[in-house]
CSV table of all heavy atoms in Angstrom, one decimal:
chain,number,residue,atom,x,y,z
U,883,ARG,N,-8.2,-26.5,8.2
U,883,ARG,CA,-8.3,-25.6,9.4
U,883,ARG,C,-7.1,-24.6,9.4
U,883,ARG,O,-6.0,-25.1,9.5
U,883,ARG,CB,-8.4,-26.4,10.7
U,883,ARG,CG,-8.8,-25.5,11.8
U,883,ARG,CD,-9.4,-26.3,13.0
U,883,ARG,NE,-10.4,-27.2,12.7
U,883,ARG,CZ,-11.7,-26.9,12.7
U,883,ARG,NH1,-12.1,-25.7,12.9
U,883,ARG,NH2,-12.6,-27.8,12.4
U,884,LYS,N,-7.4,-23.3,9.3
U,884,LYS,CA,-6.3,-22.3,9.3
U,884,LYS,C,-6.6,-21.3,10.4
U,884,LYS,O,-7.7,-21.1,10.8
U,884,LYS,CB,-6.4,-21.5,8.0
U,884,LYS,CG,-6.1,-22.4,6.7
U,884,LYS,CD,-4.7,-22.5,6.6
U,884,LYS,CE,-4.4,-23.2,5.2
U,884,LYS,NZ,-3.0,-23.2,4.9
U,885,THR,N,-5.5,-20.8,10.9
U,885,THR,CA,-5.5,-19.7,11.9
U,885,THR,C,-5.6,-18.4,11.3
U,885,THR,O,-4.8,-18.0,10.4
U,885,THR,CB,-4.3,-19.8,12.8
U,885,THR,OG1,-4.2,-21.1,13.4
U,885,THR,CG2,-4.4,-18.8,14.0
U,886,VAL,N,-6.6,-17.6,11.7
U,886,VAL,CA,-6.8,-16.2,11.3
U,886,VAL,C,-7.0,-15.3,12.5
U,886,VAL,O,-7.3,-15.8,13.6
U,886,VAL,CB,-8.0,-16.1,10.3
U,886,VAL,CG1,-7.8,-16.9,9.0
U,886,VAL,CG2,-9.3,-16.5,11.0
U,887,ARG,N,-6.9,-14.0,12.2
U,887,ARG,CA,-7.1,-13.0,13.3
U,887,ARG,C,-8.4,-12.4,13.0
U,887,ARG,O,-8.9,-12.2,11.9
U,887,ARG,CB,-6.0,-12.0,13.3
U,887,ARG,CG,-6.1,-11.1,14.5
U,887,ARG,CD,-4.8,-10.4,14.8
U,887,ARG,NE,-3.7,-11.1,15.4
U,887,ARG,CZ,-3.6,-11.5,16.7
U,887,ARG,NH1,-4.5,-11.1,17.5
U,887,ARG,NH2,-2.5,-12.1,17.1
U,888,GLY,N,-9.1,-11.9,14.1
U,888,GLY,CA,-10.3,-11.2,14.0
U,888,GLY,C,-10.3,-9.9,13.2
U,888,GLY,O,-9.2,-9.4,13.0
U,889,LYS,N,-11.4,-9.4,12.8
U,889,LYS,CA,-11.4,-8.3,11.9
U,889,LYS,C,-11.2,-6.9,12.5
U,889,LYS,O,-11.0,-5.9,11.8
U,889,LYS,CB,-12.8,-8.2,11.1
U,889,LYS,CG,-14.0,-7.9,12.0
U,889,LYS,CD,-15.2,-7.9,11.2
U,889,LYS,CE,-16.4,-7.5,12.0
U,889,LYS,NZ,-17.6,-7.5,11.1
U,890,THR,N,-11.1,-6.8,13.8
U,890,THR,CA,-10.8,-5.5,14.5
U,890,THR,C,-9.3,-5.3,14.6
U,890,THR,O,-8.6,-6.2,15.0
U,890,THR,CB,-11.5,-5.5,15.9
U,890,THR,OG1,-12.8,-5.9,15.7
U,890,THR,CG2,-11.3,-4.2,16.5
U,891,ILE,N,-8.9,-4.1,14.2
U,891,ILE,CA,-7.5,-3.7,14.3
U,891,ILE,C,-7.1,-3.5,15.7
U,891,ILE,O,-7.7,-2.8,16.4
U,891,ILE,CB,-7.2,-2.5,13.4
U,891,ILE,CG1,-7.5,-2.9,11.9
U,891,ILE,CG2,-5.8,-2.0,13.5
U,891,ILE,CD1,-7.4,-1.7,11.0
U,892,SER,N,-5.9,-4.1,16.1
U,892,SER,CA,-5.4,-4.0,17.4
U,892,SER,C,-3.9,-3.6,17.3
U,892,SER,O,-3.4,-3.4,16.2
U,892,SER,CB,-5.6,-5.3,18.2
U,892,SER,OG,-4.8,-6.3,17.7
U,893,ASP,N,-3.2,-3.6,18.5
U,893,ASP,CA,-1.8,-3.3,18.5
U,893,ASP,C,-1.0,-4.5,17.9
U,893,ASP,O,0.2,-4.3,17.7
U,893,ASP,CB,-1.3,-2.9,19.9
U,893,ASP,CG,-1.6,-4.0,20.9
U,893,ASP,OD1,-2.4,-4.9,20.6
U,893,ASP,OD2,-1.0,-4.0,21.9
U,894,LYS,N,-1.6,-5.6,17.7
U,894,LYS,CA,-0.8,-6.8,17.2
U,894,LYS,C,-0.8,-6.8,15.6
U,894,LYS,O,-0.1,-7.5,15.0
U,894,LYS,CB,-1.5,-8.1,17.6
U,894,LYS,CG,-1.6,-8.3,19.1
U,894,LYS,CD,-0.3,-8.8,19.6
U,894,LYS,CE,-0.4,-9.1,21.1
U,894,LYS,NZ,0.8,-9.2,21.8
U,895,ILE,N,-1.6,-5.9,15.0
U,895,ILE,CA,-1.6,-5.8,13.6
U,895,ILE,C,-0.4,-5.0,13.1
U,895,ILE,O,-0.1,-4.0,13.7
U,895,ILE,CB,-2.9,-5.1,13.1
U,895,ILE,CG1,-4.1,-5.9,13.6
U,895,ILE,CG2,-3.0,-5.0,11.6
U,895,ILE,CD1,-4.3,-7.3,13.0
U,896,VAL,N,0.2,-5.5,12.0
U,896,VAL,CA,1.4,-4.8,11.5
U,896,VAL,C,1.1,-4.1,10.1
U,896,VAL,O,1.4,-3.0,9.9
U,896,VAL,CB,2.6,-5.8,11.3
U,896,VAL,CG1,3.7,-5.1,10.6
U,896,VAL,CG2,3.0,-6.3,12.7
U,897,GLN,N,0.4,-4.9,9.3
U,897,GLN,CA,0.2,-4.4,7.9
U,897,GLN,C,-1.3,-4.3,7.7
U,897,GLN,O,-2.1,-5.1,8.1
U,897,GLN,CB,0.8,-5.4,6.9
U,897,GLN,CG,0.6,-5.1,5.5
U,897,GLN,CD,0.0,-6.2,4.7
U,897,GLN,OE1,0.2,-7.4,5.1
U,897,GLN,NE2,-0.6,-5.9,3.6
U,898,ILE,N,-1.7,-3.1,7.1
U,898,ILE,CA,-3.1,-2.9,6.8
U,898,ILE,C,-3.3,-2.5,5.3
U,898,ILE,O,-2.5,-1.7,4.8
U,898,ILE,CB,-3.7,-1.7,7.7
U,898,ILE,CG1,-3.5,-2.1,9.1
U,898,ILE,CG2,-5.1,-1.5,7.3
U,898,ILE,CD1,-3.8,-0.9,10.1
U,899,ASN,N,-4.2,-3.2,4.6
U,899,ASN,CA,-4.5,-2.9,3.2
U,899,ASN,C,-5.7,-2.0,3.2
U,899,ASN,O,-6.8,-2.3,3.7
U,899,ASN,CB,-4.8,-4.2,2.5
U,899,ASN,CG,-3.7,-5.2,2.6
U,899,ASN,OD1,-2.5,-4.8,2.7
U,899,ASN,ND2,-4.1,-6.4,2.6
U,900,ILE,N,-5.5,-0.8,2.5
U,900,ILE,CA,-6.7,0.1,2.4
U,900,ILE,C,-6.8,0.5,0.9
U,900,ILE,O,-5.9,0.4,0.1
U,900,ILE,CB,-6.5,1.4,3.2
U,900,ILE,CG1,-5.2,2.1,2.8
U,900,ILE,CG2,-6.5,1.1,4.7
U,900,ILE,CD1,-5.0,3.4,3.6
U,901,LYS,N,-8.0,0.8,0.5
U,901,LYS,CA,-8.3,1.3,-0.8
U,901,LYS,C,-8.9,2.7,-0.8
U,901,LYS,O,-9.5,3.1,0.1
U,901,LYS,CB,-9.1,0.3,-1.6
U,901,LYS,CG,-10.6,0.4,-1.3
U,901,LYS,CD,-11.4,-0.5,-2.2
U,901,LYS,CE,-12.9,-0.4,-1.9
U,901,LYS,NZ,-13.7,-1.3,-2.8
U,902,VAL,N,-8.6,3.4,-1.9
U,902,VAL,CA,-9.1,4.8,-2.0
U,902,VAL,C,-10.6,4.7,-2.5
U,902,VAL,O,-10.9,4.1,-3.5
U,902,VAL,CB,-8.3,5.6,-3.0
U,902,VAL,CG1,-8.8,7.0,-3.2
U,902,VAL,CG2,-6.8,5.7,-2.5
U,903,ILE,N,-11.5,5.3,-1.8
U,903,ILE,CA,-12.9,5.4,-2.2
U,903,ILE,C,-13.1,6.8,-2.9
U,903,ILE,O,-13.8,6.8,-3.9
U,903,ILE,CB,-13.8,5.3,-1.0
U,903,ILE,CG1,-13.7,4.0,-0.3
U,903,ILE,CG2,-15.2,5.6,-1.4
U,903,ILE,CD1,-14.4,3.8,0.9
U,904,LYS,N,-12.6,7.8,-2.3
U,904,LYS,CA,-12.7,9.2,-2.9
U,904,LYS,C,-11.3,9.8,-3.0
U,904,LYS,O,-10.6,9.9,-2.1
U,904,LYS,CB,-13.6,10.0,-2.0
U,904,LYS,CG,-13.9,11.4,-2.5
U,904,LYS,CD,-14.8,12.1,-1.5
U,904,LYS,CE,-14.4,13.6,-1.6
U,904,LYS,NZ,-14.9,14.3,-0.4
U,905,GLU,N,-11.0,10.2,-4.2
U,905,GLU,CA,-9.7,10.8,-4.5
U,905,GLU,C,-9.7,12.3,-4.1
U,905,GLU,O,-10.7,13.0,-4.3
U,905,GLU,CB,-9.3,10.6,-5.9
U,905,GLU,CG,-7.9,11.0,-6.2
U,905,GLU,CD,-7.5,10.8,-7.7
U,905,GLU,OE1,-8.4,10.6,-8.5
U,905,GLU,OE2,-6.3,10.9,-7.9
U,906,GLY,N,-8.6,12.7,-3.6
U,906,GLY,CA,-8.4,14.1,-3.2
U,906,GLY,C,-7.9,15.0,-4.3
U,906,GLY,O,-7.7,14.5,-5.5
U,907,LYS,N,-7.5,16.2,-4.0
U,907,LYS,CA,-7.0,17.2,-5.0
U,907,LYS,C,-5.6,16.8,-5.5
U,907,LYS,O,-5.3,16.9,-6.7
U,907,LYS,CB,-7.0,18.6,-4.4
U,907,LYS,CG,-8.3,19.1,-4.1
U,907,LYS,CD,-8.2,20.4,-3.3
U,907,LYS,CE,-9.6,20.9,-2.9
U,907,LYS,NZ,-9.5,22.1,-2.0
U,908,LYS,N,-4.8,16.3,-4.6
U,908,LYS,CA,-3.4,16.0,-4.9
U,908,LYS,C,-3.3,14.5,-5.3
U,908,LYS,O,-3.7,13.7,-4.4
U,908,LYS,CB,-2.5,16.3,-3.8
U,908,LYS,CG,-1.0,16.3,-4.1
U,908,LYS,CD,-0.2,16.8,-2.9
U,908,LYS,CE,1.2,16.9,-3.2
U,908,LYS,NZ,2.0,17.3,-2.0
U,909,PRO,N,-2.9,14.1,-6.5
U,909,PRO,CA,-2.8,12.7,-6.8
U,909,PRO,C,-1.8,12.0,-6.0
U,909,PRO,O,-0.8,12.5,-5.6
U,909,PRO,CB,-2.5,12.7,-8.3
U,909,PRO,CG,-2.0,14.0,-8.6
U,909,PRO,CD,-2.5,15.0,-7.6
U,910,LEU,N,-2.0,10.7,-5.9
U,910,LEU,CA,-1.0,9.8,-5.1
U,910,LEU,C,0.3,9.8,-5.7
U,910,LEU,O,1.3,9.6,-5.0
U,910,LEU,CB,-1.6,8.4,-4.9
U,910,LEU,CG,-2.8,8.3,-4.0
U,910,LEU,CD1,-3.4,6.9,-4.1
U,910,LEU,CD2,-2.5,8.6,-2.6
U,911,SER,N,0.4,9.9,-7.0
U,911,SER,CA,1.7,9.9,-7.7
U,911,SER,C,2.6,11.1,-7.3
U,911,SER,O,3.8,11.1,-7.3
U,911,SER,CB,1.6,9.9,-9.2
U,911,SER,OG,0.8,11.0,-9.6
U,912,GLU,N,1.9,12.2,-6.9
U,912,GLU,CA,2.7,13.4,-6.4
U,912,GLU,C,3.0,13.3,-4.9
U,912,GLU,O,4.0,13.8,-4.5
U,912,GLU,CB,1.9,14.7,-6.6
U,912,GLU,CG,1.8,15.1,-8.1
U,912,GLU,CD,1.0,16.4,-8.3
U,912,GLU,OE1,0.8,17.1,-7.3
U,912,GLU,OE2,0.5,16.6,-9.4
U,913,ILE,N,2.2,12.6,-4.2
U,913,ILE,CA,2.4,12.4,-2.8
U,913,ILE,C,3.6,11.4,-2.5
U,913,ILE,O,4.4,11.6,-1.6
U,913,ILE,CB,1.1,11.9,-2.1
U,913,ILE,CG1,0.0,12.9,-2.2
U,913,ILE,CG2,1.4,11.6,-0.6
U,913,ILE,CD1,-1.3,12.5,-1.7
U,914,PHE,N,3.7,10.4,-3.4
U,914,PHE,CA,4.7,9.4,-3.3
U,914,PHE,C,5.6,9.4,-4.6
U,914,PHE,O,5.6,8.4,-5.3
U,914,PHE,CB,4.1,8.0,-3.1
U,914,PHE,CG,3.3,7.8,-1.9
U,914,PHE,CD1,1.9,7.8,-2.1
U,914,PHE,CD2,3.8,7.7,-0.7
U,914,PHE,CE1,1.1,7.6,-1.0
U,914,PHE,CE2,3.0,7.6,0.4
U,914,PHE,CZ,1.6,7.5,0.3
U,915,PRO,N,6.4,10.5,-4.8
U,915,PRO,CA,7.2,10.5,-6.0
U,915,PRO,C,8.3,9.4,-6.1
U,915,PRO,O,8.6,8.9,-7.2
U,915,PRO,CB,7.8,11.9,-6.0
U,915,PRO,CG,7.8,12.3,-4.6
U,915,PRO,CD,6.6,11.6,-4.0
U,916,GLU,N,8.8,9.1,-4.9
U,916,GLU,CA,9.9,8.1,-4.9
U,916,GLU,C,9.4,6.7,-5.2
U,916,GLU,O,10.2,5.8,-5.6
U,916,GLU,CB,10.7,8.1,-3.6
U,916,GLU,CG,9.9,7.5,-2.4
U,916,GLU,CD,8.9,8.5,-1.8
U,916,GLU,OE1,8.8,9.7,-2.2
U,916,GLU,OE2,8.1,8.1,-0.9
U,917,GLN,N,8.1,6.4,-5.1
U,917,GLN,CA,7.6,5.1,-5.4
U,917,GLN,C,7.1,5.0,-6.9
U,917,GLN,O,6.6,3.9,-7.3
U,917,GLN,CB,6.5,4.8,-4.4
U,917,GLN,CG,6.9,4.6,-3.0
U,917,GLN,CD,5.8,4.2,-2.1
U,917,GLN,OE1,4.9,3.6,-2.5
U,917,GLN,NE2,6.0,4.5,-0.8
U,918,ASN,N,7.2,6.1,-7.6
U,918,ASN,CA,6.7,6.0,-9.0
U,918,ASN,C,7.8,5.6,-10.0
U,918,ASN,O,7.5,5.4,-11.2
U,918,ASN,CB,6.2,7.4,-9.4
U,918,ASN,CG,4.9,7.7,-8.7
U,918,ASN,OD1,4.1,6.8,-8.4
U,918,ASN,ND2,4.6,9.0,-8.5
U,919,LYS,N,9.0,5.6,-9.5
U,919,LYS,CA,10.1,5.2,-10.4
U,919,LYS,C,10.0,3.8,-10.9
U,919,LYS,O,9.7,2.9,-10.2
U,919,LYS,CB,11.5,5.4,-9.7
U,919,LYS,CG,11.7,6.9,-9.3
U,919,LYS,CD,13.0,7.0,-8.5
U,919,LYS,CE,13.2,8.4,-8.0
U,919,LYS,NZ,14.3,8.5,-7.1
U,920,THR,N,10.2,3.6,-12.2
U,920,THR,CA,10.2,2.3,-12.8
U,920,THR,C,11.6,1.7,-12.6
U,920,THR,O,12.6,2.4,-12.7
U,920,THR,CB,9.8,2.3,-14.3
U,920,THR,OG1,10.7,3.1,-15.0
U,920,THR,CG2,8.4,2.8,-14.4
U,921,LYS,N,11.7,0.4,-12.4
U,921,LYS,CA,12.9,-0.3,-12.3
U,921,LYS,C,13.5,-0.5,-13.7
U,921,LYS,O,12.9,-1.1,-14.6
U,921,LYS,CB,12.8,-1.6,-11.6
U,921,LYS,CG,12.3,-1.4,-10.1
U,921,LYS,CD,12.1,-2.7,-9.5
U,921,LYS,CE,11.7,-2.5,-8.0
U,921,LYS,NZ,11.4,-3.8,-7.4
U,922,ASP,N,14.7,-0.1,-13.9
U,922,ASP,CA,15.4,-0.3,-15.2
U,922,ASP,C,16.0,-1.7,-15.2
U,922,ASP,O,16.6,-2.1,-14.3
U,922,ASP,CB,16.6,0.8,-15.4
U,922,ASP,CG,16.0,2.2,-15.5
U,922,ASP,OD1,14.9,2.4,-16.0
U,922,ASP,OD2,16.8,3.1,-15.1
U,923,LYS,N,15.7,-2.3,-16.3
U,923,LYS,CA,16.2,-3.7,-16.5
U,923,LYS,C,17.6,-3.6,-17.1
U,923,LYS,O,17.9,-2.7,-17.9
U,923,LYS,CB,15.3,-4.4,-17.5
U,923,LYS,CG,13.9,-4.7,-17.0
U,923,LYS,CD,13.1,-5.5,-18.0
U,923,LYS,CE,11.7,-5.7,-17.5
U,923,LYS,NZ,10.9,-6.4,-18.5
U,924,PRO,N,18.5,-4.4,-16.6
U,924,PRO,CA,19.9,-4.3,-17.1
U,924,PRO,C,19.9,-4.8,-18.6
U,924,PRO,O,19.2,-5.7,-19.0
U,924,PRO,CB,20.6,-5.3,-16.2
U,924,PRO,CG,19.6,-6.2,-15.6
U,924,PRO,CD,18.3,-5.4,-15.6
U,925,LYS,N,20.7,-4.0,-19.3
U,925,LYS,CA,20.8,-4.3,-20.8
U,925,LYS,C,21.8,-5.5,-21.0
U,925,LYS,O,22.9,-5.5,-20.4
U,925,LYS,CB,21.3,-3.1,-21.5
U,925,LYS,CG,20.2,-2.0,-21.5
U,925,LYS,CD,20.7,-0.8,-22.3
U,925,LYS,CE,19.7,0.3,-22.3
U,925,LYS,NZ,20.1,1.4,-23.1
U,926,ILE,N,21.3,-6.5,-21.7
U,926,ILE,CA,22.2,-7.6,-22.0
U,926,ILE,C,22.7,-7.5,-23.5
U,926,ILE,O,21.9,-7.4,-24.4
U,926,ILE,CB,21.4,-8.9,-21.9
U,926,ILE,CG1,20.9,-9.0,-20.4
U,926,ILE,CG2,22.2,-10.1,-22.3
U,926,ILE,CD1,20.0,-10.2,-20.2
């Protein structure tokens, strides 16, 4: 038995997962350029 919240979004919801159904003219990589950076691994 687990506690879950109902499927309707209310003011108690903090995080929402959404997916793209139809892409627009401007790609998401251009809208979020700071999130496209790859993390450099330290050289050993």
Side-chain angles (χ1 to χ4, degrees):
R883 191 162 306 276
K884 297 280 187 167
T885 304
V886 295
R887 188 161 289 276
K889 68 179 183 178
T890 305
I891 295 175
S892 67
D893 59 340
K894 301 281 187 200
I895 302 295
V896 173
Q897 179 228 337
I898 302 172
N899 304 326
I900 61 175
K901 75 174 181 179
V902 176
I903 296 175
K904 181 182 151 197
E905 189 178 14
K907 295 175 186 170
K908 193 172 182 182
L910 290 172
S911 58
E912 288 181 19
I913 296 172
F914 301 106
E916 69 280 354
Q917 294 183 26
N918 290 330
K919 297 176 184 173
T920 57
K921 294 180 181 175
D922 294 330
K923 294 181 180 176
K925 294 182 180 180
I926 300 173

